[in-house]
Coordinates of all heavy atoms in Angstrom, one line a residue:
M267 N 13.3 -7.9 18.3 CA 13.8 -6.6 18.7 C 14.3 -5.9 17.5 O 14.9 -6.6 16.6 CB 14.8 -6.7 19.8 CG 14.3 -7.4 21.1 SD 15.1 -6.6 22.4 CE 14.0 -7.1 23.7
G268 N 14.1 -4.6 17.5 CA 14.7 -3.8 16.4 C 16.2 -3.5 16.6 O 16.8 -4.0 17.5
H269 N 16.7 -2.8 15.7 CA 18.1 -2.5 15.8 C 18.5 -1.8 17.1 O 17.7 -0.9 17.6 CB 18.5 -1.5 14.6 CG 20.0 -1.3 14.5 ND1 20.8 -2.3 13.9 CD2 20.7 -0.3 14.9 CE1 22.0 -1.9 14.0 NE2 22.0 -0.7 14.5
G270 N 19.4 -2.2 17.8 CA 19.8 -1.6 19.1 C 19.0 -2.2 20.2 O 19.0 -1.6 21.3
G271 N 18.3 -3.2 20.0 CA 17.5 -3.9 21.0 C 16.1 -3.4 21.2 O 15.4 -3.8 22.1
W272 N 15.6 -2.5 20.3 CA 14.2 -2.0 20.5 C 13.3 -2.9 19.7 O 13.6 -3.4 18.6 CB 14.1 -0.6 19.9 CG 14.9 0.4 20.7 CD1 16.2 0.9 20.4 CD2 14.6 0.9 22.0 NE1 16.6 1.7 21.4 CE2 15.6 1.7 22.4 CE3 13.5 0.8 22.9 CZ2 15.6 2.4 23.6 CZ3 13.5 1.4 24.0 CH2 14.5 2.2 24.4
R273 N 12.1 -3.2 20.3 CA 11.1 -3.9 19.7 C 10.2 -3.1 18.8 O 9.9 -2.0 19.2 CB 10.2 -4.7 20.7 CG 9.5 -5.9 20.1 CD 8.9 -6.6 21.4 NE 8.5 -7.9 20.9 CZ 9.2 -9.0 20.5 NH1 10.5 -8.8 20.5 NH2 8.7 -10.1 20.2
V274 N 9.9 -3.5 17.7 CA 9.1 -2.6 16.7 C 7.6 -3.0 16.9 O 7.2 -4.2 17.1 CB 9.5 -3.0 15.2 CG1 8.5 -2.2 14.3 CG2 10.9 -2.7 15.0
S275 N 6.8 -2.0 17.0 CA 5.3 -2.2 17.1 C 4.8 -2.7 15.7 O 5.6 -2.6 14.8 CB 4.6 -1.0 17.6 OG 4.8 0.1 16.7
Q276 N 3.6 -3.1 15.6 CA 3.1 -3.7 14.5 C 2.0 -2.9 13.6 O 1.0 -3.4 13.4 CB 2.6 -5.1 14.8 CG 2.0 -5.9 13.6 CD 3.0 -6.5 12.8 OE1 4.0 -6.9 13.2 NE2 2.7 -6.5 11.5
P277 N 2.4 -1.7 13.3 CA 1.4 -1.0 12.5 C 1.5 -1.5 11.0 O 0.6 -1.4 10.3 CB 1.7 0.5 12.6 CG 3.1 0.5 13.0 CD 3.4 -0.8 13.7
A278 N 2.7 -1.9 10.5 CA 2.8 -2.2 9.1 C 2.3 -3.6 8.8 O 2.3 -4.5 9.6 CB 4.4 -2.3 8.8
K279 N 1.9 -3.8 7.5 CA 1.3 -5.1 7.0 C 2.5 -5.7 6.3 O 3.1 -5.0 5.4 CB 0.2 -4.8 6.1 CG -0.3 -6.1 5.5 CD -1.6 -5.9 4.7 CE -2.1 -7.2 4.1 NZ -2.6 -8.2 5.0
V280 N 2.9 -6.8 6.7 CA 4.1 -7.5 6.0 C 3.5 -8.8 5.4 O 3.0 -9.7 6.1 CB 5.2 -7.8 7.0 CG1 6.3 -8.5 6.4 CG2 5.6 -6.6 7.7
Q281 N 3.8 -8.9 4.1 CA 3.4 -10.2 3.3 C 4.7 -10.7 2.8 O 5.6 -10.0 2.3 CB 2.5 -9.8 2.2 CG 1.2 -9.3 2.7 CD 0.4 -8.8 1.5 OE1 0.8 -7.9 0.7 NE2 -0.8 -9.4 1.3
M282 N 4.8 -12.0 2.7 CA 6.0 -12.7 2.2 C 5.5 -13.9 1.4 O 5.0 -14.9 1.9 CB 7.0 -13.1 3.2 CG 8.3 -13.8 2.7 SD 9.5 -14.1 3.9 CE 8.9 -15.5 4.7
Y283 N 5.9 -13.9 0.1 CA 5.7 -15.0 -0.8 C 6.8 -16.0 -0.4 O 8.0 -15.6 -0.4 CB 5.7 -14.7 -2.2 CG 4.5 -13.9 -2.7 CD1 4.5 -12.5 -2.6 CD2 3.3 -14.6 -3.2 CE1 3.3 -11.8 -3.0 CE2 2.2 -13.8 -3.5 CZ 2.2 -12.4 -3.5 OH 1.1 -11.7 -3.9
S284 N 6.5 -17.2 -0.2 CA 7.5 -18.2 0.4 C 7.3 -19.6 -0.1 O 6.3 -19.9 -0.7 CB 7.3 -18.2 1.9 OG 8.2 -19.0 2.6
S285 N 8.3 -20.3 0.1 CA 8.3 -21.8 -0.2 C 8.9 -22.6 1.0 O 9.8 -22.1 1.7 CB 9.2 -22.1 -1.4 OG 9.4 -23.5 -1.6
M286 N 8.3 -23.8 1.3 CA 8.7 -24.5 2.4 C 10.1 -25.0 2.3 O 10.8 -25.3 3.3 CB 7.7 -25.7 2.6 CG 6.4 -25.2 3.2 SD 5.4 -26.7 3.5 CE 6.3 -27.6 4.7
M287 N 10.6 -25.0 1.1 CA 12.0 -25.6 0.8 C 13.1 -24.6 0.7 O 14.2 -24.8 0.4 CB 11.9 -26.4 -0.4 CG 10.9 -27.6 -0.5 SD 11.2 -28.8 0.9 CE 12.6 -29.6 0.2
C288 N 12.8 -23.3 1.0 CA 13.6 -22.2 0.8 C 14.3 -21.7 2.1 O 13.6 -21.2 3.0 CB 12.7 -21.0 0.2 SG 13.7 -19.5 0.1
P289 N 15.6 -21.9 2.2 CA 16.3 -21.4 3.5 C 16.3 -19.9 3.6 O 16.3 -19.4 4.7 CB 17.7 -21.9 3.3 CG 17.9 -22.2 1.8 CD 16.5 -22.6 1.3
F290 N 16.2 -19.2 2.5 CA 16.2 -17.7 2.5 C 14.9 -17.2 3.0 O 14.8 -16.2 3.7 CB 16.5 -17.1 1.1 CG 17.8 -17.5 0.6 CD1 18.0 -18.4 -0.4 CD2 18.9 -16.8 1.1 CE1 19.2 -18.7 -0.9 CE2 20.2 -17.1 0.6 CZ 20.4 -18.1 -0.4
C291 N 13.8 -18.0 2.8 CA 12.5 -17.6 3.3 C 12.5 -17.8 4.8 O 12.0 -16.9 5.5 CB 11.4 -18.5 2.7 SG 11.2 -18.4 1.0
Y292 N 13.1 -18.8 5.3 CA 13.2 -19.1 6.8 C 14.1 -18.0 7.4 O 13.7 -17.5 8.6 CB 13.8 -20.4 7.1 CG 12.8 -21.5 6.9 CD1 13.0 -22.4 5.8 CD2 11.7 -21.8 7.7 CE1 12.1 -23.4 5.6 CE2 10.9 -22.8 7.5 CZ 11.0 -23.6 6.4 OH 10.1 -24.6 6.2
R293 N 15.1 -17.6 6.8 CA 16.0 -16.5 7.3 C 15.3 -15.2 7.4 O 15.3 -14.5 8.4 CB 17.3 -16.4 6.4 CG 18.3 -15.6 7.0 CD 19.6 -15.7 6.2 NE 20.6 -14.8 6.8 CZ 21.2 -13.9 6.1 NH1 20.9 -13.7 4.8 NH2 22.1 -13.0 6.7
A294 N 14.6 -14.8 6.3 CA 13.8 -13.6 6.3 C 12.7 -13.5 7.4 O 12.6 -12.6 8.1 CB 13.2 -13.3 5.0
K295 N 12.0 -14.7 7.5 CA 10.9 -14.8 8.5 C 11.5 -14.7 9.9 O 10.9 -14.1 10.8 CB 10.1 -16.1 8.3 CG 8.9 -16.3 9.2 CD 8.2 -17.5 9.0 CE 7.1 -17.7 10.0 NZ 6.6 -19.0 10.0
A296 N 12.6 -15.3 10.1 CA 13.2 -15.3 11.4 C 13.6 -13.9 11.8 O 13.4 -13.5 13.0 CB 14.5 -16.2 11.5
L297 N 14.2 -13.0 10.9 CA 14.5 -11.6 11.3 C 13.2 -10.9 11.7 O 13.2 -10.2 12.6 CB 15.2 -11.0 10.0 CG 15.4 -9.5 10.2 CD1 16.3 -9.2 11.3 CD2 16.0 -8.9 8.9
L298 N 12.2 -11.1 10.8 CA 10.9 -10.3 11.1 C 10.3 -10.8 12.4 O 9.9 -9.9 13.3 CB 9.9 -10.5 10.0 CG 10.5 -9.8 8.6 CD1 9.6 -10.3 7.5 CD2 10.4 -8.3 8.8
E299 N 10.3 -12.1 12.7 CA 9.7 -12.6 14.0 C 10.6 -12.2 15.2 O 10.0 -11.9 16.2 CB 9.6 -14.1 13.9 CG 8.5 -14.6 13.0 CD 8.4 -16.1 12.9 OE1 9.3 -16.8 13.3 OE2 7.3 -16.5 12.5
H300 N 11.9 -12.0 15.0 CA 12.8 -11.5 16.1 C 12.4 -10.2 16.4 O 12.5 -9.8 17.6 CB 14.2 -11.6 15.6 CG 15.2 -11.1 16.6 ND1 15.5 -11.8 17.7 CD2 16.0 -10.0 16.6 CE1 16.4 -11.2 18.5 NE2 16.7 -10.0 17.8
K301 N 11.9 -9.4 15.5 CA 11.4 -8.1 15.7 C 10.0 -8.0 16.2 O 9.5 -6.9 16.5 CB 11.6 -7.2 14.4 CG 13.0 -6.9 14.0 CD 13.0 -6.2 12.7 CE 14.4 -5.7 12.4 NZ 14.8 -4.7 13.4
G302 N 9.4 -9.1 16.4 CA 8.0 -9.1 16.8 C 7.0 -8.8 15.8 O 5.9 -8.5 16.1
I303 N 7.3 -9.1 14.6 CA 6.5 -8.7 13.4 C 5.7 -9.9 13.0 O 6.3 -11.0 12.7 CB 7.3 -8.1 12.3 CG1 8.1 -6.9 12.6 CG2 6.4 -7.8 11.0 CD1 7.2 -5.7 13.1
A304 N 4.4 -9.8 12.9 CA 3.6 -10.8 12.3 C 3.7 -10.8 10.8 O 3.6 -9.7 10.2 CB 2.1 -10.7 12.7
V305 N 4.0 -11.9 10.1 CA 4.2 -12.0 8.7 C 3.0 -12.8 8.1 O 2.8 -14.0 8.5 CB 5.5 -12.6 8.4 CG1 5.8 -12.7 6.9 CG2 6.7 -11.9 9.1
E306 N 2.4 -12.3 7.1 CA 1.4 -13.1 6.3 C 2.2 -13.9 5.3 O 2.8 -13.3 4.4 CB 0.4 -12.2 5.6 CG -0.6 -13.0 4.8 CD -1.5 -12.1 3.9 OE1 -1.5 -10.8 4.1 OE2 -2.1 -12.6 3.0
I307 N 2.3 -15.2 5.5 CA 3.0 -16.1 4.6 C 2.1 -16.5 3.4 O 1.0 -17.0 3.7 CB 3.5 -17.3 5.3 CG1 4.6 -16.9 6.4 CG2 4.3 -18.2 4.3 CD1 5.7 -16.2 6.0
I308 N 2.6 -16.3 2.2 CA 1.8 -16.8 1.1 C 2.6 -17.8 0.4 O 3.6 -17.6 -0.2 CB 1.5 -15.5 0.1 CG1 0.8 -14.4 0.8 CG2 0.8 -16.0 -1.2 CD1 0.8 -13.1 0.0
D309 N 2.2 -19.0 0.6 CA 2.9 -20.3 0.1 C 2.7 -20.5 -1.4 O 1.5 -20.7 -1.8 CB 2.5 -21.5 1.0 CG 3.4 -22.7 0.7 OD1 4.2 -22.7 -0.3 OD2 3.1 -23.7 1.4
V310 N 3.7 -20.4 -2.1 CA 3.6 -20.6 -3.6 C 4.0 -22.0 -4.1 O 4.0 -22.3 -5.2 CB 4.4 -19.6 -4.4 CG1 3.9 -18.1 -4.0 CG2 5.9 -19.6 -4.1
D311 N 4.3 -22.9 -3.1 CA 4.7 -24.3 -3.4 C 3.8 -25.0 -4.4 O 4.2 -25.6 -5.3 CB 4.9 -25.1 -2.2 CG 6.3 -24.9 -1.6 OD1 7.3 -24.5 -2.4 OD2 6.4 -25.1 -0.4
T312 N 2.5 -24.9 -4.0 CA 1.5 -25.8 -4.7 C 0.5 -25.0 -5.5 O -0.5 -25.6 -6.1 CB 0.8 -26.8 -3.8 OG1 0.1 -26.1 -2.8 CG2 1.8 -27.8 -3.2
D313 N 0.5 -23.7 -5.5 CA -0.5 -22.8 -6.1 C 0.1 -22.0 -7.2 O 0.7 -21.0 -6.9 CB -1.2 -22.0 -5.0 CG -2.4 -21.3 -5.5 OD1 -2.5 -21.0 -6.7 OD2 -3.4 -21.2 -4.7
F314 N 0.0 -22.4 -8.4 CA 0.5 -21.7 -9.6 C -0.1 -20.4 -9.7 O 0.7 -19.4 -10.1 CB 0.3 -22.5 -10.8 CG 1.0 -22.0 -12.0 CD1 2.3 -22.0 -12.1 CD2 0.2 -21.4 -13.0 CE1 2.9 -21.4 -13.3 CE2 0.8 -20.8 -14.1 CZ 2.2 -20.8 -14.2
A315 N -1.3 -20.1 -9.3 CA -1.9 -18.8 -9.4 C -1.2 -17.8 -8.4 O -1.0 -16.7 -8.8 CB -3.4 -18.9 -9.2
L316 N -0.9 -18.3 -7.3 CA -0.2 -17.4 -6.3 C 1.2 -17.1 -6.7 O 1.7 -16.0 -6.6 CB -0.1 -18.1 -4.9 CG -1.5 -18.1 -4.2 CD1 -1.3 -18.8 -2.8 CD2 -2.0 -16.7 -3.9
R317 N 1.9 -18.1 -7.4 CA 3.2 -17.9 -7.9 C 3.2 -16.8 -9.0 O 3.9 -15.9 -9.1 CB 3.9 -19.0 -8.4 CG 5.3 -18.9 -8.9 CD 6.0 -20.2 -9.1 NE 6.3 -20.9 -7.9 CZ 7.5 -20.7 -7.2 NH1 8.3 -19.8 -7.7 NH2 7.7 -21.4 -6.1
Q318 N 2.1 -16.9 -9.9 CA 1.9 -15.8 -11.0 C 1.6 -14.5 -10.3 O 2.1 -13.5 -10.9 CB 0.7 -16.3 -11.9 CG 1.1 -17.4 -12.8 CD 0.0 -17.8 -13.8 OE1 -1.1 -17.9 -13.4 NE2 0.3 -17.8 -15.0
Q319 N 0.8 -14.5 -9.3 CA 0.5 -13.3 -8.6 C 1.8 -12.6 -8.1 O 2.0 -11.4 -8.2 CB -0.5 -13.5 -7.5 CG -0.9 -12.3 -6.6 CD -1.6 -12.7 -5.4 OE1 -1.1 -13.2 -4.4 NE2 -2.9 -12.4 -5.4
M320 N 2.6 -13.4 -7.5 CA 3.9 -13.0 -6.9 C 4.8 -12.4 -8.0 O 5.3 -11.3 -7.9 CB 4.7 -14.1 -6.3 CG 6.0 -13.8 -5.8 SD 7.1 -15.2 -5.3 CE 7.6 -15.8 -7.0
Q321 N 4.9 -13.0 -9.2 CA 5.7 -12.5 -10.3 C 5.1 -11.2 -10.8 O 5.8 -10.3 -11.1 CB 5.7 -13.6 -11.4 CG 6.6 -14.8 -11.0 CD 6.5 -15.9 -12.0 OE1 5.7 -16.0 -12.9 NE2 7.4 -16.9 -11.8
A322 N 3.7 -11.1 -10.9 CA 3.1 -9.9 -11.4 C 3.4 -8.7 -10.4 O 3.7 -7.6 -10.8 CB 1.7 -10.1 -11.5
R323 N 3.3 -9.0 -9.1 CA 3.6 -8.0 -8.1 C 5.0 -7.6 -8.0 O 5.3 -6.3 -7.8 CB 3.1 -8.4 -6.7 CG 1.6 -8.5 -6.6 CD 1.1 -8.8 -5.2 NE 1.4 -7.8 -4.2 CZ 1.3 -7.9 -2.9 NH1 0.9 -9.1 -2.4 NH2 1.6 -6.8 -2.1
S324 N 5.9 -8.5 -8.1 CA 7.3 -8.2 -7.8 C 8.2 -8.1 -9.0 O 9.2 -7.5 -9.0 CB 7.9 -9.3 -6.9 OG 8.0 -10.5 -7.6
G325 N 7.8 -8.7 -10.1 CA 8.6 -8.7 -11.3 C 9.7 -9.8 -11.2 O 10.6 -9.8 -12.0
R326 N 9.6 -10.6 -10.2 CA 10.6 -11.7 -9.9 C 10.0 -13.0 -9.8 O 8.8 -13.2 -9.5 CB 11.4 -11.4 -8.6 CG 12.2 -10.0 -8.7 CD 12.9 -9.8 -7.4 NE 13.6 -8.5 -7.4 CZ 14.3 -8.2 -6.4 NH1 14.5 -8.9 -5.3 NH2 14.9 -7.0 -6.5
H327 N 10.8 -14.0 -10.0 CA 10.2 -15.4 -10.0 C 10.8 -16.3 -8.8 O 10.4 -17.4 -8.6 CB 10.5 -16.2 -11.3 CG 11.9 -16.4 -11.5 ND1 12.7 -15.4 -12.1 CD2 12.7 -17.5 -11.4 CE1 13.9 -15.9 -12.2 NE2 13.9 -17.1 -11.8
T328 N 11.7 -15.6 -8.0 CA 12.3 -16.4 -6.9 C 11.7 -16.0 -5.5 O 11.0 -14.9 -5.4 CB 13.8 -16.1 -6.8 OG1 14.0 -14.6 -6.6 CG2 14.5 -16.5 -8.1
V329 N 11.8 -16.9 -4.5 CA 11.2 -16.5 -3.2 C 12.5 -16.4 -2.3 O 13.5 -16.9 -2.6 CB 10.3 -17.7 -2.7 CG1 9.0 -17.6 -3.5 CG2 11.0 -19.0 -2.7
P330 N 12.3 -15.7 -1.2 CA 11.0 -14.9 -0.8 C 10.9 -13.6 -1.6 O 11.9 -13.1 -2.0 CB 11.3 -14.7 0.7 CG 12.8 -14.5 0.8 CD 13.3 -15.5 -0.2
Q331 N 9.7 -13.1 -1.7 CA 9.5 -11.8 -2.2 C 8.6 -11.2 -1.0 O 7.6 -11.6 -0.6 CB 8.7 -11.7 -3.5 CG 9.5 -12.3 -4.6 CD 10.8 -11.5 -4.8 OE1 10.8 -10.4 -4.7 NE2 11.9 -12.3 -5.1
I332 N 9.1 -10.0 -0.5 CA 8.6 -9.4 0.7 C 8.0 -8.0 0.4 O 8.6 -7.3 -0.4 CB 9.7 -9.3 1.7 CG1 10.3 -10.7 2.0 CG2 9.2 -8.7 3.0 CD1 11.7 -10.6 2.6
F333 N 6.8 -7.8 1.0 CA 6.1 -6.6 0.7 C 5.8 -6.0 2.2 O 5.4 -6.7 3.0 CB 4.8 -6.8 0.0 CG 4.9 -7.2 -1.4 CD1 5.3 -8.5 -1.7 CD2 4.8 -6.3 -2.4 CE1 5.4 -8.8 -3.1 CE2 5.0 -6.6 -3.8 CZ 5.3 -7.9 -4.1
I334 N 6.1 -4.7 2.3 CA 5.8 -4.0 3.6 C 4.8 -3.0 3.2 O 5.2 -2.0 2.4 CB 7.0 -3.4 4.2 CG1 8.0 -4.6 4.6 CG2 6.7 -2.6 5.5 CD1 9.3 -4.1 5.2
N335 N 3.7 -2.9 3.8 CA 2.6 -2.0 3.4 C 2.4 -2.0 1.9 O 2.2 -0.9 1.3 CB 2.9 -0.6 3.9 CG 2.8 -0.5 5.4 OD1 2.1 -1.4 6.1 ND2 3.5 0.3 6.1
Y336 N 2.4 -3.1 1.3 CA 2.1 -3.4 -0.1 C 3.2 -2.9 -1.0 O 3.0 -3.0 -2.3 CB 0.7 -2.7 -0.5 CG -0.4 -3.2 0.4 CD1 -0.9 -2.4 1.4 CD2 -1.0 -4.5 0.2 CE1 -1.9 -2.9 2.3 CE2 -2.0 -4.9 1.0 CZ -2.5 -4.1 2.1 OH -3.4 -4.6 2.9
A337 N 4.3 -2.3 -0.5 CA 5.4 -1.9 -1.3 C 6.4 -3.1 -1.3 O 6.8 -3.6 -0.3 CB 6.0 -0.7 -0.8
H338 N 6.9 -3.4 -2.5 CA 7.9 -4.5 -2.7 C 9.2 -4.0 -2.1 O 9.8 -3.0 -2.6 CB 7.9 -4.9 -4.2 CG 8.9 -6.0 -4.4 ND1 9.9 -5.9 -5.3 CD2 8.9 -7.3 -3.9 CE1 10.6 -7.1 -5.4 NE2 9.9 -7.9 -4.5
V339 N 9.8 -4.8 -1.2 CA 11.1 -4.5 -0.7 C 12.2 -5.4 -1.2 O 13.4 -5.2 -1.1 CB 11.2 -4.4 0.8 CG1 10.3 -3.3 1.3 CG2 10.8 -5.7 1.5
G340 N 11.8 -6.5 -1.9 CA 12.7 -7.4 -2.4 C 12.7 -8.8 -1.7 O 11.7 -9.2 -1.2
G341 N 13.8 -9.4 -1.8 CA 14.0 -10.8 -1.1 C 14.8 -10.6 0.2 O 14.9 -9.6 0.8
C342 N 15.3 -11.8 0.5 CA 16.0 -11.9 1.8 C 17.3 -10.9 1.9 O 17.4 -10.3 2.9 CB 16.5 -13.3 2.1 SG 17.3 -13.6 3.7
D343 N 18.0 -10.9 0.8 CA 19.2 -10.0 0.8 C 18.8 -8.5 1.0 O 19.5 -7.8 1.8 CB 20.0 -10.2 -0.4 CG 20.7 -11.6 -0.5 OD1 20.9 -12.3 0.6 OD2 21.1 -11.9 -1.6
E344 N 17.8 -8.1 0.3 CA 17.4 -6.7 0.4 C 16.8 -6.5 1.8 O 17.0 -5.4 2.3 CB 16.3 -6.4 -0.6 CG 16.8 -6.4 -2.1 CD 16.9 -7.8 -2.8 OE1 16.5 -8.8 -2.1 OE2 17.3 -7.8 -3.9
L345 N 16.1 -7.4 2.4 CA 15.6 -7.2 3.8 C 16.7 -7.1 4.7 O 16.7 -6.1 5.6 CB 14.7 -8.4 4.1 CG 14.0 -8.3 5.5 CD1 12.9 -7.3 5.4 CD2 13.4 -9.6 6.0
Y346 N 17.8 -7.8 4.7 CA 18.9 -7.7 5.5 C 19.7 -6.4 5.3 O 20.2 -5.9 6.2 CB 19.8 -9.0 5.5 CG 19.3 -10.0 6.6 CD1 18.3 -11.0 6.2 CD2 19.9 -10.1 7.7 CE1 17.9 -11.8 7.1 CE2 19.4 -11.0 8.7 CZ 18.5 -11.9 8.4 OH 18.0 -12.8 9.3
A347 N 19.7 -6.0 4.0 CA 20.4 -4.8 3.7 C 19.7 -3.6 4.3 O 20.3 -2.7 4.8 CB 20.5 -4.6 2.2
L348 N 18.4 -3.6 4.3 CA 17.6 -2.6 5.0 C 17.9 -2.6 6.6 O 18.0 -1.6 7.2 CB 16.1 -2.8 4.8 CG 15.6 -2.4 3.4 CD1 14.1 -3.0 3.2 CD2 15.7 -1.0 3.1
E349 N 18.0 -3.8 7.1 CA 18.3 -4.0 8.6 C 19.7 -3.4 8.8 O 19.9 -2.6 9.8 CB 18.2 -5.4 9.0 CG 18.7 -5.7 10.3 CD 17.8 -5.1 11.4 OE1 16.8 -4.5 11.2 OE2 18.1 -5.3 12.6
H350 N 20.6 -3.8 8.0 CA 22.0 -3.3 8.3 C 22.1 -1.8 8.1 O 23.0 -1.1 8.7 CB 23.0 -4.1 7.4 CG 23.1 -5.5 7.9 ND1 23.6 -5.9 9.1 CD2 22.9 -6.7 7.2 CE1 23.5 -7.3 9.2 NE2 23.1 -7.7 8.0
G351 N 21.3 -1.2 7.1 CA 21.3 0.2 6.9 C 20.5 0.9 7.8 O 20.2 2.2 7.6
Q352 N 19.9 0.3 8.8 CA 19.1 0.9 9.9 C 17.8 1.6 9.3 O 17.4 2.6 9.7 CB 19.9 1.8 10.7 CG 21.0 1.2 11.4 CD 21.8 2.1 12.3 OE1 21.4 3.2 12.6 NE2 23.0 1.7 12.7
Q353 N 17.3 0.9 8.2 CA 16.1 1.5 7.6 C 14.8 0.6 7.8 O 13.7 1.1 7.6 CB 16.3 1.6 6.1 CG 17.4 2.6 5.7 CD 17.7 2.6 4.2 OE1 18.0 1.6 3.7 NE2 17.7 3.8 3.6
L354 N 15.1 -0.7 8.2 CA 14.0 -1.6 8.3 C 13.0 -1.2 9.4 O 11.7 -1.2 9.1 CB 14.5 -3.0 8.5 CG 13.4 -4.2 8.5 CD1 12.6 -4.1 7.3 CD2 14.1 -5.5 8.8
D355 N 13.5 -0.8 10.5 CA 12.6 -0.5 11.7 C 11.6 0.6 11.3 O 10.5 0.7 11.6 CB 13.3 -0.2 12.9 CG 14.0 -1.4 13.5 OD1 13.6 -2.6 13.1 OD2 14.8 -1.3 14.4
G356 N 12.2 1.6 10.5 CA 11.4 2.8 10.1 C 10.2 2.4 9.2 O 9.1 2.8 9.3
L357 N 10.5 1.4 8.2 CA 9.5 0.9 7.3 C 8.4 0.1 8.1 O 7.3 0.2 7.8 CB 10.1 0.0 6.3 CG 11.0 0.7 5.2 CD1 11.6 -0.4 4.3 CD2 10.2 1.6 4.3
L358 N 8.9 -0.6 9.1 CA 8.0 -1.5 9.8 C 7.1 -0.7 10.8 O 6.0 -1.1 11.2 CB 8.7 -2.6 10.6 CG 9.5 -3.6 9.7 CD1 10.4 -4.5 10.6 CD2 8.4 -4.4 9.0
A359 N 7.6 0.5 11.1 CA 6.8 1.4 12.1 C 5.8 2.2 11.4 O 4.9 2.8 12.0 CB 7.8 2.3 12.8
E360 N 5.8 2.3 10.0 CA 4.8 3.1 9.3 C 3.5 2.3 9.3 O 3.5 1.1 8.9 CB 5.2 3.3 7.9 CG 6.5 4.2 7.8 CD 7.0 4.4 6.4 OE1 6.2 4.1 5.4 OE2 8.1 4.8 6.2
P361 N 2.4 3.0 9.6 CA 1.1 2.3 9.5 C 0.7 2.0 8.1 O 1.0 2.7 7.1 CB 0.1 3.3 10.1 CG 0.8 4.6 10.0 CD 2.3 4.4 10.0
A362 N 0.0 0.8 8.0 CA -0.5 0.4 6.7 C -1.6 1.4 6.3 O -2.4 1.9 7.1 CB -1.1 -1.0 6.8
T363 N -1.7 1.7 5.0 CA -2.7 2.6 4.5 C -3.7 1.8 3.6 O -3.5 0.8 3.1 CB -2.0 3.7 3.6 OG1 -1.3 3.1 2.6 CG2 -1.2 4.6 4.5

């Protein structure tokens, strides 16, 4: 459910570079799933090329790295900051282009 109890529809494409050993990845995924958002998980644990891709796209080497409609929004802290600032639902409601 979105902020205030509203569920967000799924026009946005959400991708998250993730690791199975990362508690921040689980926390970010839980927030998005709570909102009813399908997340494309890109596991960088064993694929060095995917980790390099993540670094090239985000400029960062830590996980999670989250993209909404191909725009980098940051990691778990940034995702929750968007939620607390009541901006996340608006990003998630924008259709992917």
